[in-house]
Amino acid sequence: MKRSAYLFAVVAWASLVAAPSSMADPTVGTAVYVQLRQSFVAVDDADQCVGTAALGPIRRGSSVLLSDGATMAEAVAVGQFFRSRLSDGVCEALYITSAPVMPTFNVQFAGPGGELSPTFGPTPAEPVTYQPGIEQVVRVDIDVPPPSP
């Protein structure tokens, strides 16, 4: 019994030492919920709304890039547009990804043609307990469009 426990401990330790850094940080289902209070346009399709001007990348076919909110490091997760809708005059967009659990993220959007939005953040991540498969949410509330870079 001791021998099998020792062997298990050695194998477990070796897997941690040999694991690449991307494997050392487990990822969880992450939703990025965006509210556009201005700078959007209503569209006549299933999406109902899209971003305009500097927020044009917020639309079907776009991606969300999440990076560490404490630094301006490279992206730690890339998510895909899920849907958008108009609700009480506010455009709501939802992106889904898998990201490491972090207290804050910087958020940037990339349109289908590669155009990038300004970076928003640091934005706090909140735990989710009511949605199967999603363990954290990042809420981005855009009241007015930021100035062009």
Side-chain angles (χ1 to χ4, degrees):
M1 184 71 160
K2 278 186 170 180
R3 184 176 179 177
S4 63
Y6 177 75
L7 181 60
F8 177 77
V10 168
V11 170
W13 179 80
S15 68
L16 288 175
V17 170
S21 62
S22 63
M23 295 300 288
D25 294 332
T27 60
V28 298
T30 302
V32 179
Y33 173 71
V34 184
Q35 289 187 318
L36 295 165
R37 298 188 185 282
Q38 295 181 17
S39 192
F40 72 88
V41 66
V43 293
D44 201 18
D45 68 15
D47 288 328
Q48 299 181 12
C49 58
V50 296
T52 62
L55 302 176
I58 301 175
R59 65 177 183 274
R60 181 170 295 284
S62 65
S63 301
V64 64
L65 309 166
L66 298 178
S67 59
D68 186 343
T71 66
M72 289 302 287
E74 64 184 52
V76 296
V78 177
Q80 299 303 310
F81 178 90
F82 183 69
R83 68 178 167 92
S84 67
R85 68 180 184 160
L86 271 177
S87 178
D88 297 325
V90 175
C91 180
E92 299 174 331
L94 185 64
Y95 292 80
I96 304 294
T97 189
S98 184
V101 175
M102 300 175 125
T104 60
F105 290 95
N106 289 316
V107 180
Q108 189 172 29
F109 303 95
E115 62 278 15
L116 294 173
S117 76
T119 300
F120 301 93
T123 302
E126 304 168 26
V128 172
T129 58
Y130 55 87
Q131 183 67 41
I134 301 295
E135 294 186 32
Q136 68 182 343
V137 64
V138 179
R139 297 177 196 271
V140 182
D141 192 356
I142 303 171
D143 219 354
V144 292
S148 298

